[in-house]
Amino acid sequence: MSNFEKILIANRGEIAIRVMRACREMNIGTVAIFSEPDKNSLHAKYADEAFLVGEAHPSKSYLNMHRIIDIAHMCGAEAIHPGYGFLAENAKFAKLCEDEGITFIGPSWQTIEAMGSKLASKHMMEKAGVPVLPYTPDGVTSLDEAKAISAEIGYPVIVKASAGGGGIGMQIVENEADLEEAIEKAMRIAASAFGDSTVFIEKYLVKPRHIEFQILADQQGNKIHLYDRECSIQRRHQKLVEEAPCPIMTEELRERMAASALKVAEASGYYNAGTVEFLYADGEYYFMEMNTRLQVEHTVTEMVTGIDLVRQQLAIAAGKKIPFTQEDIRLNGHAIECRINAEDPLNNFQADPGKIVRYRSPGGPGIRVDSGIHMGYAIPPMYDSMISKLCGWGIDRRESIERMRRAIYEYVIIGVRTTLPLHHAIMNNRHFIDGNTHTHFLQEEHVKANLARYLHEEETRMQTLANSLRHGKEAAAIATAVNVYIAAQKQQQDTNH
Ligand code: MV4
């Protein structure tokens, strides 16, 4: 089969636009679906055709499988791209597409189903010779059994939901006395969140790095990796900053981890784009899970390899072979992504939806902005708070950080509070600059203290700008903001010497 004629994108925001951009380049027609509050959204405007899928609540709209299939049939879309989140890793939906003769752009529903069980996927990867942390192979079947295995593993251990993801229901257990209660709590949360109370226990790594490998596999059995990403800076299991390559990666470690990632792809019968997630600590790495979707942070991999992952997804779904070999893939430079969320980092990251009254996105050398918003757009409160992704490429990590600082400075979003001030703080944080990141980076006291200073400084700058824009004194405001910024930079230089 050659390219598709028309694809329905079953998502919203920046990822829907991102997929539509690849379609437009490949001369593939695009169909958007939008919910009631998204009728004025950028993704609905960008598509060739757009259909109201339902009311605001995701169950009535972006998760409304049968309505989405009906729209695809009605407009003649041969394929559906699920983006990430919503139905992207829903095996039932992938199977429904297959039953309805519509190509699901992703792996088979069987692979999605298998990787959806964290316990079964661990078993599979252990058998394939991929390193996994010590764990309860049969899940938790009895408290005595759990106690015996946890004693063998050695505390601290962690209780995890098998059907879960994103850390939901995870319980860290320091000693045996807390084990029973932790298991009960994890099972309760797993049952209510995933309808499956299966939990398992594994060794808990106190401050691991989260390192993942991008995989690309076609339906003819060809599989390659597109190098590594580090995604350790997270908050409540939501990634905030991702980068490629991982700053502590060595050629030897990369060879070992890439070989393991390709084993995971082989064992799971994977095709299309996927990500293998590892935890890394003290020179060792362990398989955590396989994500059967295109990830938010695919951007940094695209920037350092030059490969358009969505174009490859569309080609693979249309039955094409991957047009390059592993030897063709070169890593060039360093890329960082900062997730811009409509949240207030000074007020416990409280969501801050609202209307965008001023919007100016950065540009210039090495900058990519994948955004789902525009001036005048009202960010709805019922969806994910991420509104755009700011990415910066440099010839090395230092230049990509300097670039990101400059782009954050240029980025103007007035009308809602955002994580921009937090990213300004992180890009100026000594530990981040030195590459000393891990999954609890944002919780560390010294990091929080240092971030606070930069947070307030950037917050002041943005507030100054916002206040004057409201009174039309834009020039004066920008001058003030520049002075504040220069003063802060000077102070930083004084501190550094
Ligand atoms: C872990 C871990 C340490 N040891 N598992 C699993 C879901 C993913 N989003 C985070 N997960 C983790 N699993 C073991 N055996 C550390 C994490 C982890 C994390 C845990 C608690 C709080 C924040 C975290 C951020 C990233 C990773």
Side-chain angles (χ1 to χ4, degrees):
M1 181 207 293
S2 70
N3 269 347
F4 298 111
E5 294 288 312
K6 189 185 284 190
I7 288 178
L8 183 150
I9 291 87
N11 214 301
R12 64 181 299 281
E14 68 84 17
I15 191 61
I17 295 165
R18 162 67 188 99
V19 173
M20 291 177 197
R21 283 174 161 152
C23 294
R24 184 162 294 281
E25 290 174 14
M26 298 167 81
N27 206 15
I28 297 171
T30 52
V31 178
I33 55 168
F34 60 90
S35 63
E36 275 292 339
D38 275 343
K39 52 182 175 299
N40 180 30
S41 61
L42 208 49
H43 80 276
K45 293 181 197 309
Y46 193 96
D48 299 320
E49 300 171 67
F51 295 87
L52 175 68
V53 65
E55 298 158 29
H57 195 279
S59 63
K60 298 266 194 288
S61 48
Y62 299 104
L63 292 174
N64 189 338
M65 296 188 210
H66 294 288
R67 179 98 178 87
I68 292 168
I69 294 285
D70 288 348
I71 293 173
H73 281 318
M74 182 180 59
C75 68
E78 305 122 286
I80 291 178
H81 194 300
Y84 49 66
F86 292 128
L87 296 169
E89 297 190 285
N90 185 312
K92 232 173 81 195
F93 180 66
K95 186 173 186 315
L96 182 62
C97 289
E98 185 181 278
D99 295 347
E100 294 283 334
I102 295 172
T103 302
F104 177 82
I105 296 171
S108 68
W109 65 266
Q110 292 90 337
T111 297
I112 296 172
E113 187 174 66
M115 293 301 105
S117 163
K118 304 298 173 252
L119 186 54
S121 58
K122 260 171 96 87
H123 264 303
M124 188 189 287
M125 302 319 156
E126 186 181 26
K127 257 173 55 190
V130 176
V132 298
L133 282 162
Y135 71 113
T136 53
D138 305 320
V140 171
T141 45
S142 78
L143 180 59
D144 290 346
E145 176 85 1
K147 282 182 177 175
I149 294 181
S150 298
E152 246 174 75
I153 289 173
Y155 290 91
V157 297
I158 186 168
V159 188
K160 288 185 173 180
S162 177
I168 297 168
M170 263 172 30
Q171 303 295 316
I172 299 162
V173 185
E174 300 293 344
N175 51 56
E176 186 171 278
D178 301 338
L179 189 61
E180 182 173 15
E181 186 189 352
I183 289 171
E184 281 165 3
K185 187 171 179 187
M187 290 179 76
R188 204 169 45 247
I189 295 170
S192 67
F194 312 114
D196 175 349
S197 63
T198 310
V199 298
F200 64 94
I201 294 168
E202 66 180 18
K203 179 68 186 158
Y204 180 66
L205 299 176
V206 179
K207 286 185 188 170
R209 285 176 188 262
H210 173 129
I211 301 176
E212 58 189 34
F213 273 72
Q214 181 66 55
I215 294 293
L216 202 55
D218 60 27
Q219 299 189 61
Q220 289 76 18
N222 304 300
K223 297 177 177 58
I224 61 171
H225 74 84
L226 294 173
Y227 293 93
D228 36 283
R229 296 188 285 259
E230 168 146 1
C231 314
S232 296
I233 299 186
Q234 311 190 9
R235 190 184 167 279
R236 290 195 187 150
H237 306 293
Q238 292 296 324
K239 296 166 183 171
L240 274 168
V241 177
E242 305 103 336
E243 57 183 306
C246 161
I248 54 128
M249 190 55 71
T250 63
E251 279 320 304
E252 183 273 333
L253 177 62
R254 176 173 287 137
E255 210 170 302
R256 286 196 294 143
M257 292 185 80
S260 292
L262 289 165
K263 272 186 193 167
V264 169
E266 188 64 39
S268 61
Y270 208 85
Y271 59 80
N272 213 281
T275 297
V276 183
E277 286 191 5
F278 298 100
L279 288 177
Y280 171 91
D282 309 322
E284 293 307 320
Y285 66 90
Y286 310 91
F287 170 77
M288 186 159 69
E289 56 196 68
M290 170 143 212
N291 297 323
T292 57
R293 67 179 188 275
L294 180 71
Q295 296 205 229
V296 170
E297 62 270 24
H298 75 277
T299 52
V300 293
T301 297
E302 293 190 324
M303 293 181 99
V304 295
T305 62
I307 306 284
D308 182 314
L309 282 167
V310 177
R311 291 184 65 138
Q312 294 307 321
Q313 281 193 294
L314 301 179
I316 288 167
K320 295 228 175 67
K321 280 176 61 176
I322 295 172
F324 29 71
T325 63
Q326 188 67 61
E327 292 60 49
D328 298 328
I329 309 297
R330 286 284 171 279
L331 194 54
N332 179 32
H334 197 97
I336 295 174
E337 175 180 82
C338 289
R339 296 193 189 192
I340 312 302
N341 302 337
E343 294 169 352
D344 183 355
L346 283 160
N347 189 1
N348 199 28
F349 292 83
Q350 195 170 6
D352 194 43
K355 197 174 175 73
I356 305 292
V357 294
R358 202 51 137 241
Y359 184 74
R360 192 161 52 235
S361 66
I367 295 304
R368 166 176 172 172
V369 180
D370 281 21
S371 151
I373 58 172
H374 55 85
M375 175 97 93
Y377 177 61
I379 299 169
M382 69 292 290
Y383 303 120
D384 189 280
S385 62
M386 189 175 80
I387 51 180
S388 88
K389 298 164 358 187
L390 174 59
C391 307
W393 178 89
I395 194 59
D396 56 23
R397 187 167 189 266
R398 177 188 175 80
E399 187 177 81
S400 66
I401 292 175
E402 290 167 351
R403 224 153 258 140
M404 184 58 83
R405 285 184 190 143
R406 187 265 298 166
I408 290 167
Y409 174 74
E410 288 179 10
Y411 209 163
V412 175
I413 304 177
I414 307 287
V416 293
R417 290 184 182 286
T418 73
T419 47
L420 273 169
L422 172 71
H423 291 305
H424 170 76
I426 293 171
M427 291 304 128
N428 285 285
N429 177 271
R430 169 60 44 215
H431 297 270
F432 175 78
I433 294 163
D434 293 347
N436 298 335
T437 51
H438 53 76
T439 52
H440 290 63
F441 176 80
L442 287 180
Q443 286 77 29
E444 302 254 297
E445 281 320 308
H446 60 83
V447 171
K448 277 197 271 192
N450 177 278
L451 294 186
R453 185 155 59 87
Y454 278 100
L455 262 171
H456 282 288
E457 171 212 286
E458 179 66 6
E459 178 69 10
T460 309
R461 187 173 78 83
M462 299 308 280
Q463 279 314 315
T464 312
L465 200 53
N467 296 339
S468 62
L469 291 179
R470 263 193 278 279
H471 311 302
K473 299 192 211 72
E474 180 157 353
I478 288 177
T480 314
V482 168
N483 293 338
V484 165
Y485 189 79
I486 289 167
Q489 289 295 72
K490 195 176 170 322
Q491 186 187 10
Q492 177 67 24
Q493 276 152 14
D494 297 351
T495 322
N496 286 348
H497 294 119

PDB file of all heavy atoms in Angstrom, residues 390-407:
ATOM      1  N   LEU A 390       8.810  23.497  24.642  1.00  0.00           N
ATOM      2  CA  LEU A 390       9.890  24.359  24.160  1.00  0.00           C
ATOM      3  C   LEU A 390      11.159  23.509  24.079  1.00  0.00           C
ATOM      4  O   LEU A 390      11.586  22.930  25.080  1.00  0.00           O
ATOM      5  CB  LEU A 390      10.096  25.519  25.139  1.00  0.00           C
ATOM      6  CG  LEU A 390      11.277  26.450  24.864  1.00  0.00           C
ATOM      7  CD1 LEU A 390      11.153  27.085  23.477  1.00  0.00           C
ATOM      8  CD2 LEU A 390      11.357  27.535  25.938  1.00  0.00           C
ATOM      9  N   CYS A 391      11.714  23.397  22.863  1.00  0.00           N
ATOM     10  CA  CYS A 391      12.882  22.520  22.664  1.00  0.00           C
ATOM     11  C   CYS A 391      14.052  23.343  22.150  1.00  0.00           C
ATOM     12  O   CYS A 391      13.872  24.232  21.302  1.00  0.00           O
ATOM     13  CB  CYS A 391      12.563  21.430  21.644  1.00  0.00           C
ATOM     14  SG  CYS A 391      11.070  20.515  22.031  1.00  0.00           S
ATOM     15  N   GLY A 392      15.234  23.032  22.681  1.00  0.00           N
ATOM     16  CA  GLY A 392      16.434  23.760  22.235  1.00  0.00           C
ATOM     17  C   GLY A 392      17.540  22.792  21.884  1.00  0.00           C
ATOM     18  O   GLY A 392      17.846  21.889  22.659  1.00  0.00           O
ATOM     19  N   TRP A 393      18.112  22.951  20.688  1.00  0.00           N
ATOM     20  CA  TRP A 393      19.222  22.107  20.223  1.00  0.00           C
ATOM     21  C   TRP A 393      20.499  22.927  20.242  1.00  0.00           C
ATOM     22  O   TRP A 393      20.488  24.112  19.898  1.00  0.00           O
ATOM     23  CB  TRP A 393      18.962  21.621  18.789  1.00  0.00           C
ATOM     24  CG  TRP A 393      20.098  20.788  18.235  1.00  0.00           C
ATOM     25  CD1 TRP A 393      20.264  19.440  18.337  1.00  0.00           C
ATOM     26  CD2 TRP A 393      21.270  21.287  17.560  1.00  0.00           C
ATOM     27  NE1 TRP A 393      21.442  19.052  17.763  1.00  0.00           N
ATOM     28  CE2 TRP A 393      22.090  20.147  17.279  1.00  0.00           C
ATOM     29  CE3 TRP A 393      21.711  22.558  17.169  1.00  0.00           C
ATOM     30  CZ2 TRP A 393      23.317  20.262  16.621  1.00  0.00           C
ATOM     31  CZ3 TRP A 393      22.942  22.660  16.514  1.00  0.00           C
ATOM     32  CH2 TRP A 393      23.719  21.524  16.241  1.00  0.00           C
ATOM     33  N   GLY A 394      21.611  22.249  20.649  1.00  0.00           N
ATOM     34  CA  GLY A 394      22.919  22.900  20.565  1.00  0.00           C
ATOM     35  C   GLY A 394      23.957  21.888  20.129  1.00  0.00           C
ATOM     36  O   GLY A 394      23.696  20.674  20.180  1.00  0.00           O
ATOM     37  N   ILE A 395      25.126  22.360  19.712  1.00  0.00           N
ATOM     38  CA  ILE A 395      26.170  21.432  19.246  1.00  0.00           C
ATOM     39  C   ILE A 395      26.658  20.568  20.402  1.00  0.00           C
ATOM     40  O   ILE A 395      27.151  19.468  20.221  1.00  0.00           O
ATOM     41  CB  ILE A 395      27.335  22.200  18.578  1.00  0.00           C
ATOM     42  CG1 ILE A 395      28.255  21.238  17.794  1.00  0.00           C
ATOM     43  CG2 ILE A 395      28.115  22.998  19.618  1.00  0.00           C
ATOM     44  CD1 ILE A 395      27.539  20.471  16.689  1.00  0.00           C
ATOM     45  N   ASP A 396      26.456  21.072  21.640  1.00  0.00           N
ATOM     46  CA  ASP A 396      26.733  20.243  22.822  1.00  0.00           C
ATOM     47  C   ASP A 396      25.765  20.652  23.927  1.00  0.00           C
ATOM     48  O   ASP A 396      24.947  21.569  23.743  1.00  0.00           O
ATOM     49  CB  ASP A 396      28.194  20.415  23.272  1.00  0.00           C
ATOM     50  CG  ASP A 396      28.523  21.890  23.535  1.00  0.00           C
ATOM     51  OD1 ASP A 396      27.586  22.693  23.806  1.00  0.00           O
ATOM     52  OD2 ASP A 396      29.703  22.267  23.433  1.00  0.00           O
ATOM     53  N   ARG A 397      25.854  19.988  25.072  1.00  0.00           N
ATOM     54  CA  ARG A 397      24.846  20.202  26.120  1.00  0.00           C
ATOM     55  C   ARG A 397      24.900  21.636  26.617  1.00  0.00           C
ATOM     56  O   ARG A 397      23.863  22.278  26.844  1.00  0.00           O
ATOM     57  CB  ARG A 397      25.072  19.223  27.281  1.00  0.00           C
ATOM     58  CG  ARG A 397      23.986  19.247  28.330  1.00  0.00           C
ATOM     59  CD  ARG A 397      24.074  18.076  29.282  1.00  0.00           C
ATOM     60  NE  ARG A 397      22.909  18.006  30.137  1.00  0.00           N
ATOM     61  CZ  ARG A 397      22.830  18.538  31.358  1.00  0.00           C
ATOM     62  NH1 ARG A 397      23.865  19.242  31.855  1.00  0.00           N
ATOM     63  NH2 ARG A 397      21.730  18.436  32.086  1.00  0.00           N
ATOM     64  N   ARG A 398      26.121  22.177  26.725  1.00  0.00           N
ATOM     65  CA  ARG A 398      26.261  23.545  27.224  1.00  0.00           C
ATOM     66  C   ARG A 398      25.502  24.529  26.321  1.00  0.00           C
ATOM     67  O   ARG A 398      24.701  25.357  26.776  1.00  0.00           O
ATOM     68  CB  ARG A 398      27.746  23.928  27.294  1.00  0.00           C
ATOM     69  CG  ARG A 398      27.978  25.360  27.724  1.00  0.00           C
ATOM     70  CD  ARG A 398      29.455  25.749  27.595  1.00  0.00           C
ATOM     71  NE  ARG A 398      29.635  27.165  27.913  1.00  0.00           N
ATOM     72  CZ  ARG A 398      29.687  27.638  29.151  1.00  0.00           C
ATOM     73  NH1 ARG A 398      29.592  26.805  30.174  1.00  0.00           N
ATOM     74  NH2 ARG A 398      29.829  28.923  29.380  1.00  0.00           N
ATOM     75  N   GLU A 399      25.703  24.384  25.011  1.00  0.00           N
ATOM     76  CA  GLU A 399      25.051  25.318  24.070  1.00  0.00           C
ATOM     77  C   GLU A 399      23.531  25.131  24.102  1.00  0.00           C
ATOM     78  O   GLU A 399      22.772  26.100  24.022  1.00  0.00           O
ATOM     79  CB  GLU A 399      25.573  25.104  22.643  1.00  0.00           C
ATOM     80  CG  GLU A 399      25.051  26.149  21.663  1.00  0.00           C
ATOM     81  CD  GLU A 399      25.626  25.983  20.254  1.00  0.00           C
ATOM     82  OE1 GLU A 399      25.100  25.107  19.515  1.00  0.00           O
ATOM     83  OE2 GLU A 399      26.572  26.707  19.920  1.00  0.00           O
ATOM     84  N   SER A 400      23.081  23.880  24.284  1.00  0.00           N
ATOM     85  CA  SER A 400      21.619  23.669  24.303  1.00  0.00           C
ATOM     86  C   SER A 400      21.019  24.313  25.555  1.00  0.00           C
ATOM     87  O   SER A 400      19.910  24.854  25.506  1.00  0.00           O
ATOM     88  CB  SER A 400      21.280  22.183  24.239  1.00  0.00           C
ATOM     89  OG  SER A 400      21.702  21.510  25.396  1.00  0.00           O
ATOM     90  N   ILE A 401      21.762  24.330  26.661  1.00  0.00           N
ATOM     91  CA  ILE A 401      21.272  25.000  27.884  1.00  0.00           C
ATOM     92  C   ILE A 401      21.240  26.511  27.675  1.00  0.00           C
ATOM     93  O   ILE A 401      20.265  27.194  27.997  1.00  0.00           O
ATOM     94  CB  ILE A 401      22.157  24.638  29.096  1.00  0.00           C
ATOM     95  CG1 ILE A 401      21.986  23.159  29.471  1.00  0.00           C
ATOM     96  CG2 ILE A 401      21.809  25.523  30.305  1.00  0.00           C
ATOM     97  CD1 ILE A 401      22.914  22.679  30.576  1.00  0.00           C
ATOM     98  N   GLU A 402      22.301  27.042  27.069  1.00  0.00           N
ATOM     99  CA  GLU A 402      22.349  28.497  26.824  1.00  0.00           C
ATOM    100  C   GLU A 402      21.229  28.915  25.872  1.00  0.00           C
ATOM    101  O   GLU A 402      20.581  29.946  26.032  1.00  0.00           O
ATOM    102  CB  GLU A 402      23.714  28.877  26.247  1.00  0.00           C
ATOM    103  CG  GLU A 402      24.831  28.751  27.276  1.00  0.00           C
ATOM    104  CD  GLU A 402      26.221  28.815  26.670  1.00  0.00           C
ATOM    105  OE1 GLU A 402      26.340  28.792  25.423  1.00  0.00           O
ATOM    106  OE2 GLU A 402      27.201  28.865  27.441  1.00  0.00           O
ATOM    107  N   ARG A 403      20.978  28.062  24.898  1.00  0.00           N
ATOM    108  CA  ARG A 403      19.908  28.332  23.928  1.00  0.00           C
ATOM    109  C   ARG A 403      18.542  28.325  24.626  1.00  0.00           C
ATOM    110  O   ARG A 403      17.691  29.172  24.392  1.00  0.00           O
ATOM    111  CB  ARG A 403      19.962  27.203  22.904  1.00  0.00           C
ATOM    112  CG  ARG A 403      19.856  27.596  21.604  1.00  0.00           C
ATOM    113  CD  ARG A 403      20.102  27.405  20.348  1.00  0.00           C
ATOM    114  NE  ARG A 403      21.137  28.126  19.670  1.00  0.00           N
ATOM    115  CZ  ARG A 403      21.923  27.516  18.784  1.00  0.00           C
ATOM    116  NH1 ARG A 403      21.865  26.207  18.630  1.00  0.00           N
ATOM    117  NH2 ARG A 403      22.798  28.217  18.086  1.00  0.00           N
ATOM    118  N   MET A 404      18.374  27.333  25.500  1.00  0.00           N
ATOM    119  CA  MET A 404      17.084  27.191  26.199  1.00  0.00           C
ATOM    120  C   MET A 404      16.849  28.419  27.093  1.00  0.00           C
ATOM    121  O   MET A 404      15.749  28.974  27.139  1.00  0.00           O
ATOM    122  CB  MET A 404      17.075  25.904  27.012  1.00  0.00           C
ATOM    123  CG  MET A 404      15.757  25.599  27.693  1.00  0.00           C
ATOM    124  SD  MET A 404      14.352  25.469  26.557  1.00  0.00           S
ATOM    125  CE  MET A 404      14.537  23.804  26.030  1.00  0.00           C
ATOM    126  N   ARG A 405      17.918  28.886  27.761  1.00  0.00           N
ATOM    127  CA  ARG A 405      17.777  30.076  28.619  1.00  0.00           C
ATOM    128  C   ARG A 405      17.275  31.248  27.792  1.00  0.00           C
ATOM    129  O   ARG A 405      16.357  31.967  28.143  1.00  0.00           O
ATOM    130  CB  ARG A 405      19.129  30.451  29.219  1.00  0.00           C
ATOM    131  CG  ARG A 405      19.597  29.573  30.333  1.00  0.00           C
ATOM    132  CD  ARG A 405      20.903  30.122  30.896  1.00  0.00           C
ATOM    133  NE  ARG A 405      21.534  29.181  31.816  1.00  0.00           N
ATOM    134  CZ  ARG A 405      22.842  29.016  31.899  1.00  0.00           C
ATOM    135  NH1 ARG A 405      23.662  29.692  31.108  1.00  0.00           N
ATOM    136  NH2 ARG A 405      23.359  28.161  32.763  1.00  0.00           N
ATOM    137  N   ARG A 406      17.898  31.419  26.604  1.00  0.00           N
ATOM    138  CA  ARG A 406      17.557  32.560  25.735  1.00  0.00           C
ATOM    139  C   ARG A 406      16.106  32.426  25.248  1.00  0.00           C
ATOM    140  O   ARG A 406      15.350  33.408  25.239  1.00  0.00           O
ATOM    141  CB  ARG A 406      18.539  32.586  24.560  1.00  0.00           C
ATOM    142  CG  ARG A 406      18.446  33.782  23.646  1.00  0.00           C
ATOM    143  CD  ARG A 406      17.601  33.552  22.440  1.00  0.00           C
ATOM    144  NE  ARG A 406      18.111  32.497  21.556  1.00  0.00           N
ATOM    145  CZ  ARG A 406      17.400  31.940  20.577  1.00  0.00           C
ATOM    146  NH1 ARG A 406      16.142  32.318  20.398  1.00  0.00           N
ATOM    147  NH2 ARG A 406      17.913  31.009  19.820  1.00  0.00           N
ATOM    148  N   ALA A 407      15.694  31.202  24.927  1.00  0.00           N
ATOM    149  CA  ALA A 407      14.334  30.984  24.405  1.00  0.00           C
ATOM    150  C   ALA A 407      13.295  31.198  25.501  1.00  0.00           C
ATOM    151  O   ALA A 407      12.230  31.784  25.251  1.00  0.00           O
ATOM    152  CB  ALA A 407      14.217  29.579  23.824  1.00  0.00           C
TER     153      ALA A 407
END
